Amino acid sequence: MAEPSNLKDEAKRSLIFTYGTLKRGFHNHTLTQDLISHKDAVYVGDFVTHQPIPLVIGPHGIPYIINDLPGSGHRIKGELYAVTGPGLARLDDLEGIAIGHYERLPIQVVRNLSDDDDVVSAEAYFAHRSFGHALWERNGRESLSEYSEIEGRRLVYKPDHSRSILEDVSLFLAGASDGK
């Protein structure tokens, strides 16, 4: 697998594919910008997944890609960043890796839909395996091809912090109205 030439200088960094709120123009991009300003991340470019992957919306309008559903979904549009170890730790913290909210897993991406010869290996934040397939079912097995401004407007930050995000996921999967 070839790597675009501008990635060679970033060999000591992890390549992270962002598809949701970490992208430019979305709420959590402030973290990405902070990482860039502290030289803990570099924007590599706009990329798309090499294979179709389900992208769904969960509670509070949070986007998730789902692992292990071959042939389902779409090729997802997103952004690729080269991130240092300390930057990766901050991203993992935001994405709730330690509590089982997301899992950082391997993914293959390309610069555009017509360039399948220039595949880049990266990682992305997937819905945790404990609820990923249930999210897919809850969304009627319907996938988005991109987390856009339309979905971004649905993102709500709950004022009530008495429940964890995983409790909200459980309520969402159960169809409870306050899990939104």
Side-chain angles (χ1 to χ4, degrees), residues 6 10 16 26 47 51 59 64 73 93 96 101 108 116 123 126 129 131 137 148-149 178-179:
N6 64 335
E10 303 301 334
I16 300 296
F26 293 92
F47 279 71
Q51 300 295 324
Y64 297 89
D93 186 51
H101 184 215
Q108 293 184 327
D116 283 340
E123 293 180 299
F126 288 79
R129 71 188 79 197
F131 62 84
E137 295 295 331
S148 70
E149 291 177 17
D178 62 349

Short mmCIF file of all heavy atoms in Angstrom, two decimals, residues 6 10 16 26 47 51 59 64 73 93 96 101 108 116 123 126 129 131 137 148-149 178-179:
data_model
loop_
_atom_site.label_atom_id
_atom_site.label_comp_id
_atom_site.label_asym_id
_atom_site.label_seq_id
_atom_site.Cartn_x
_atom_site.Cartn_y
_atom_site.Cartn_z
N ASN A 6 3.16 13.43 1.34
CA ASN A 6 3.18 14.31 2.50
C ASN A 6 3.00 13.56 3.83
O ASN A 6 3.10 14.14 4.88
CB ASN A 6 2.14 15.44 2.37
CG ASN A 6 0.72 14.93 2.32
OD1 ASN A 6 0.47 13.80 1.94
ND2 ASN A 6 -0.20 15.78 2.70
N GLU A 10 5.51 12.33 8.50
CA GLU A 10 4.72 12.13 9.71
C GLU A 10 4.81 10.69 10.20
O GLU A 10 3.93 10.21 10.91
CB GLU A 10 3.25 12.50 9.43
CG GLU A 10 3.05 13.92 8.93
CD GLU A 10 3.57 14.97 9.89
OE1 GLU A 10 3.64 14.71 11.10
OE2 GLU A 10 3.93 16.06 9.41
N ILE A 16 -5.07 9.38 11.99
CA ILE A 16 -6.42 9.27 12.52
C ILE A 16 -7.41 9.83 11.50
O ILE A 16 -7.30 10.99 11.08
CB ILE A 16 -6.57 10.03 13.86
CG1 ILE A 16 -5.59 9.47 14.91
CG2 ILE A 16 -8.01 9.98 14.36
CD1 ILE A 16 -5.84 8.02 15.30
N PHE A 26 -17.10 21.56 12.99
CA PHE A 26 -17.96 20.89 13.96
C PHE A 26 -17.44 21.12 15.38
O PHE A 26 -16.30 21.51 15.59
CB PHE A 26 -18.07 19.39 13.64
CG PHE A 26 -18.81 19.15 12.36
CD1 PHE A 26 -18.13 19.04 11.16
CD2 PHE A 26 -20.19 19.07 12.34
CE1 PHE A 26 -18.79 18.85 9.96
CE2 PHE A 26 -20.87 18.88 11.16
CZ PHE A 26 -20.17 18.76 9.96
N PHE A 47 -10.25 12.68 2.99
CA PHE A 47 -10.14 11.28 2.58
C PHE A 47 -11.52 10.64 2.64
O PHE A 47 -12.47 11.22 3.16
CB PHE A 47 -9.17 10.52 3.49
CG PHE A 47 -7.72 10.71 3.14
CD1 PHE A 47 -7.09 11.92 3.37
CD2 PHE A 47 -6.99 9.68 2.57
CE1 PHE A 47 -5.75 12.11 3.04
CE2 PHE A 47 -5.66 9.84 2.24
CZ PHE A 47 -5.03 11.06 2.47
N GLN A 51 -13.46 1.07 1.93
CA GLN A 51 -14.59 0.14 1.88
C GLN A 51 -15.83 0.80 2.49
O GLN A 51 -15.71 1.69 3.32
CB GLN A 51 -14.26 -1.13 2.67
CG GLN A 51 -13.07 -1.89 2.16
CD GLN A 51 -13.29 -2.46 0.77
OE1 GLN A 51 -14.40 -2.88 0.43
NE2 GLN A 51 -12.25 -2.46 -0.05
N PRO A 59 -27.55 8.68 20.28
CA PRO A 59 -28.18 9.65 21.18
C PRO A 59 -27.52 11.01 21.08
O PRO A 59 -26.32 11.10 20.82
CB PRO A 59 -27.99 9.03 22.56
CG PRO A 59 -26.82 8.12 22.42
CD PRO A 59 -26.87 7.61 21.01
N TYR A 64 -21.54 7.73 14.80
CA TYR A 64 -20.78 6.51 15.05
C TYR A 64 -20.59 5.76 13.74
O TYR A 64 -21.52 5.65 12.96
CB TYR A 64 -21.54 5.56 16.00
CG TYR A 64 -21.81 6.08 17.38
CD1 TYR A 64 -22.95 6.81 17.66
CD2 TYR A 64 -20.92 5.81 18.42
CE1 TYR A 64 -23.20 7.27 18.94
CE2 TYR A 64 -21.17 6.26 19.71
CZ TYR A 64 -22.31 7.00 19.96
OH TYR A 64 -22.56 7.45 21.23
N GLY A 73 -23.46 -0.08 4.48
CA GLY A 73 -23.11 1.32 4.59
C GLY A 73 -22.58 1.92 3.30
O GLY A 73 -22.87 1.43 2.20
N ASP A 93 -9.18 10.24 25.15
CA ASP A 93 -9.93 10.70 26.32
C ASP A 93 -11.28 11.29 25.90
O ASP A 93 -12.31 10.96 26.47
CB ASP A 93 -9.10 11.72 27.10
CG ASP A 93 -9.77 12.12 28.40
OD1 ASP A 93 -10.17 11.22 29.17
OD2 ASP A 93 -9.90 13.34 28.63
N GLY A 96 -13.77 8.65 24.85
CA GLY A 96 -14.20 7.70 25.88
C GLY A 96 -13.69 6.28 25.67
O GLY A 96 -14.40 5.31 25.96
N HIS A 101 -16.85 3.77 25.23
CA HIS A 101 -17.76 4.51 24.37
C HIS A 101 -17.39 4.27 22.90
O HIS A 101 -18.23 3.87 22.09
CB HIS A 101 -17.73 6.00 24.72
CG HIS A 101 -18.72 6.82 23.95
ND1 HIS A 101 -18.45 8.10 23.55
CD2 HIS A 101 -19.96 6.56 23.50
CE1 HIS A 101 -19.48 8.59 22.90
NE2 HIS A 101 -20.41 7.67 22.85
N GLN A 108 -8.92 1.66 6.44
CA GLN A 108 -8.19 2.02 5.23
C GLN A 108 -8.95 3.14 4.54
O GLN A 108 -10.18 3.09 4.41
CB GLN A 108 -8.04 0.83 4.30
CG GLN A 108 -7.14 -0.23 4.90
CD GLN A 108 -6.91 -1.38 3.94
OE1 GLN A 108 -7.78 -1.74 3.16
NE2 GLN A 108 -5.72 -1.94 4.00
N ASP A 116 -8.50 4.14 -5.90
CA ASP A 116 -8.39 2.98 -5.01
C ASP A 116 -6.98 2.39 -4.97
O ASP A 116 -6.74 1.43 -4.25
CB ASP A 116 -9.39 1.91 -5.43
CG ASP A 116 -10.79 2.23 -4.97
OD1 ASP A 116 -10.93 3.06 -4.04
OD2 ASP A 116 -11.74 1.67 -5.53
N GLU A 123 -6.35 4.85 11.58
CA GLU A 123 -7.26 4.37 12.62
C GLU A 123 -8.42 5.35 12.70
O GLU A 123 -8.31 6.50 12.29
CB GLU A 123 -6.56 4.32 13.99
CG GLU A 123 -5.47 3.26 14.06
CD GLU A 123 -4.80 3.24 15.42
OE1 GLU A 123 -4.21 4.27 15.81
OE2 GLU A 123 -4.87 2.19 16.08
N PHE A 126 -14.56 3.94 16.29
CA PHE A 126 -15.76 3.17 15.99
C PHE A 126 -16.63 3.07 17.24
O PHE A 126 -16.10 3.03 18.35
CB PHE A 126 -15.39 1.74 15.56
CG PHE A 126 -14.77 1.62 14.21
CD1 PHE A 126 -13.42 1.92 14.01
CD2 PHE A 126 -15.51 1.18 13.13
CE1 PHE A 126 -12.84 1.78 12.76
CE2 PHE A 126 -14.94 1.04 11.87
CZ PHE A 126 -13.60 1.35 11.69
N ARG A 129 -17.90 -2.16 20.40
CA ARG A 129 -18.52 -3.42 19.95
C ARG A 129 -19.70 -3.85 20.81
O ARG A 129 -20.55 -4.61 20.37
CB ARG A 129 -17.47 -4.53 19.87
CG ARG A 129 -17.00 -5.01 21.22
CD ARG A 129 -15.84 -5.96 21.15
NE ARG A 129 -14.66 -5.14 20.94
CZ ARG A 129 -13.51 -5.58 20.51
NH1 ARG A 129 -13.36 -6.83 20.22
NH2 ARG A 129 -12.49 -4.77 20.37
N PHE A 131 -22.20 -2.17 21.69
CA PHE A 131 -23.48 -1.62 21.26
C PHE A 131 -23.52 -1.22 19.78
O PHE A 131 -24.56 -0.79 19.29
CB PHE A 131 -23.89 -0.42 22.14
CG PHE A 131 -22.94 0.75 22.07
CD1 PHE A 131 -23.02 1.70 21.06
CD2 PHE A 131 -21.97 0.92 23.05
CE1 PHE A 131 -22.15 2.78 21.01
CE2 PHE A 131 -21.09 2.00 23.02
CZ PHE A 131 -21.19 2.93 21.98
N GLU A 137 -29.02 -1.48 14.02
CA GLU A 137 -30.41 -1.95 13.99
C GLU A 137 -31.37 -0.82 14.36
O GLU A 137 -32.39 -0.63 13.70
CB GLU A 137 -30.61 -3.15 14.94
CG GLU A 137 -29.85 -4.38 14.53
CD GLU A 137 -30.31 -5.00 13.22
OE1 GLU A 137 -31.50 -4.87 12.86
OE2 GLU A 137 -29.46 -5.62 12.54
N SER A 148 -22.72 15.60 8.06
CA SER A 148 -22.73 16.94 7.48
C SER A 148 -23.29 17.96 8.46
O SER A 148 -23.64 17.63 9.59
CB SER A 148 -23.57 16.94 6.20
OG SER A 148 -24.94 16.77 6.53
N GLU A 149 -23.41 19.19 7.99
CA GLU A 149 -23.97 20.26 8.83
C GLU A 149 -25.38 19.93 9.29
O GLU A 149 -25.78 20.31 10.38
CB GLU A 149 -23.97 21.58 8.06
CG GLU A 149 -22.60 22.14 7.80
CD GLU A 149 -22.65 23.41 6.97
OE1 GLU A 149 -23.72 24.04 6.86
OE2 GLU A 149 -21.59 23.78 6.43
N ASP A 178 -36.04 10.17 26.37
CA ASP A 178 -35.03 11.08 26.93
C ASP A 178 -33.61 10.67 26.54
O ASP A 178 -32.67 11.37 26.85
CB ASP A 178 -35.16 11.25 28.45
CG ASP A 178 -34.96 9.96 29.22
OD1 ASP A 178 -34.92 8.89 28.59
OD2 ASP A 178 -34.83 10.03 30.44
N GLY A 179 -33.44 9.57 25.83
CA GLY A 179 -32.15 9.20 25.25
C GLY A 179 -31.93 9.88 23.91
O GLY A 179 -30.86 9.88 23.37
#
